[in-house]
Amino acid sequence: MKAIVVREFGSVDVMKIEDASNPSPGPGQVLVRVKAAGVNPVETYIRAGTYARKPDLPYTPGTDLAGVVEAVGPGVAGVTPGDRVYAHATLTGAYAELAVCEEPHVHPLPARLTFPQGAALGVPYSTAWRALVLRAQARPGETVLVHGASGGVGVAAVQIARASGLRVIGTAGTERGVAMVREQGAHEALNHREPDYLSRVMPMTGGRGVDLVVEMLANVNLDRDLDVLALRGRVIVVGNRGRIEIDPRKIMGKDGAVLGMLLMHATAEEQRTIHAALVAGLESGALNPVVGREYPLAHAAQAHVAVMEPGAYGKIVLIP
Ligand code: NAP
């Protein structure tokens, strides 16, 4: 099979397409023929060698995929060859034609969704669900600001919040992104590149502020998020790329909370809960991943450049 292989940490050029031997599934494992693999920002940090968690070299990047079950190992009862599935973790890497996954990490992909949409589910939708529902305990009737709603996690957060009965304000950095955020269910959408855009949040909420902020770039926005927070509001830090000075009095004055959320801390039980909820949302039609760009597997380097550029429009995927 063809697979992207990283033999040293570094720039995007360290990702080479190679001929690799076909993996085979062991007990409790599922072999998937990958039709699309999701590209997440964290995969660029890992490839560069700057992330706290580094895989042993060489390795094949990627955790999120969608495809067709090719074979199953002993003891697998939940899926059979030919099933359409998505996976949120693999043992062998998603940037490949074939990938081995543990059975609990493989979920049914309803027929109405494309494989690229399936590859957009793993990290982004799990992150949005865990942040909103499990960490922030979002409740119907609350208002959420999805600060950075145009990317993989942001679109997921908008759709999940809207389907859960929240009032949703989303931001994007381009007019095209702003329009898409509205189409995905946000009641209001703002452009985070416009000066003073956050001054519009208070009038949008009748002067009350937002109950929740799902924050994709905390090092830029955290202090200003606290200005638009309602009494007893919560900011959930999902994305951060540097340091910031904040005024803690703003948290105190609102009885507020700033919460962190790192997906890798999700327990097996939380993962079961999250994917049961996501599959239900896919079946009901509430969740519909947006795929903005598809690259051939051999162009993984271009996809890693693109995922770090401004102007997000949903998800970037690789097609083996
Ligand atoms: P993505 O698809 O590349 O999207 C990035 C988002 O950030 C886009 O909506 C982008 O908007 C937005 N953004 C850019 N500048 C912004 C600003 N000044 N204010 C607010 N938003 C801004 O990435 P993703 O997959 O959605 O992930 C988003 C972030 O969360 C990344 O930093 C990622 O590493 C992190 N993450 C964390 C976890 C976790 O476990 N904590 C899990 C997944 C992802 P425009 O491009 O339209 O400007």
Side-chain angles (χ1 to χ4, degrees), residues 5-18:
V5 179
V6 174
R7 297 189 175 276
E8 57 179 327
F9 297 112
S11 70
V12 295
D13 302 324
V14 300
M15 290 189 292
K16 311 278 189 211
I17 190 145
E18 295 188 7

Side-chain angles (χ1 to χ4, degrees), residues 41 45 127 148 150-153 173 192-193 221 238 241 261 263 307 311-312:
Y45 322 148
T127 297
S150 48
V153 178
H192 53 234
R193 306 233 186 278
N221 296 322
V238 168
R241 292 180 180 166
M261 199 299 291
L263 186 60
V307 79

Side-chain angles (χ1 to χ4, degrees), residues 39-42 45 51 123-124 127 130 146-155 171-174 177-178 191-193 197 215-217 220-221 224 237-241 260-264 306-316:
V39 175
N40 293 295
V42 69
Y45 322 148
Y51 199 60
V123 167
T127 297
R130 189 163 188 265
V146 181
H147 213 165
S150 48
V153 178
V155 167
T171 79
T174 63
V178 166
N191 187 327
H192 53 234
R193 306 233 186 278
Y197 67 98
E215 182 52 64
M216 304 303 164
L217 201 57
V220 172
N221 296 322
R224 288 178 304 162
V237 176
V238 168
N240 183 66
R241 292 180 180 166
M261 199 299 291
L262 193 62
L263 186 60
M264 75 165 75
V307 79
M308 296 303 284
E309 284 173 343
Y313 194 91
K315 191 73 203 165
I316 293 174

Side-chain angles (χ1 to χ4, degrees), residues 45-121:
Y45 322 148
I46 294 170
R47 185 216 70 235
T50 56
Y51 199 60
R53 182 175 49 89
K54 289 190 193 66
D56 293 335
L57 294 169
Y59 77 99
T60 292
T63 59
D64 297 349
L65 62 83
V68 176
V69 174
E70 181 96 351
V72 297
V76 170
V79 292
T80 50
D83 285 358
R84 299 173 96 249
V85 292
Y86 79 91
H88 69 269
T90 88
L91 297 167
T92 52
Y95 293 13
E97 289 178 328
L98 292 165
V100 172
C101 309
E102 302 275 14
E103 187 186 5
H105 301 156
V106 176
H107 314 282
L109 182 67
R112 69 175 191 84
L113 291 147
T114 65
F115 290 116
Q117 285 182 300
L121 289 166

Side-chain angles (χ1 to χ4, degrees), residues 152-226:
V153 178
V155 167
V158 167
Q159 293 176 357
I160 291 167
R162 181 68 198 249
S164 305
L166 280 84
R167 181 165 181 80
V168 183
I169 303 170
T171 79
T174 63
E175 283 315 307
R176 183 171 173 253
V178 166
M180 186 266 282
V181 167
R182 266 205 197 91
E183 281 160 23
Q184 295 313 312
H187 297 86
E188 309 273 3
L190 299 168
N191 187 327
H192 53 234
R193 306 233 186 278
E194 284 176 4
D196 274 346
Y197 67 98
L198 282 177
S199 66
R200 293 173 55 198
V201 171
M202 282 305 188
M204 283 175 178
T205 55
R208 207 181 145 264
V210 295
D211 301 292
L212 300 170
V213 180
V214 180
E215 182 52 64
M216 304 303 164
L217 201 57
N219 55 300
V220 172
N221 296 322
L222 185 55
D223 194 58
R224 288 178 304 162
D225 287 340
L226 301 173

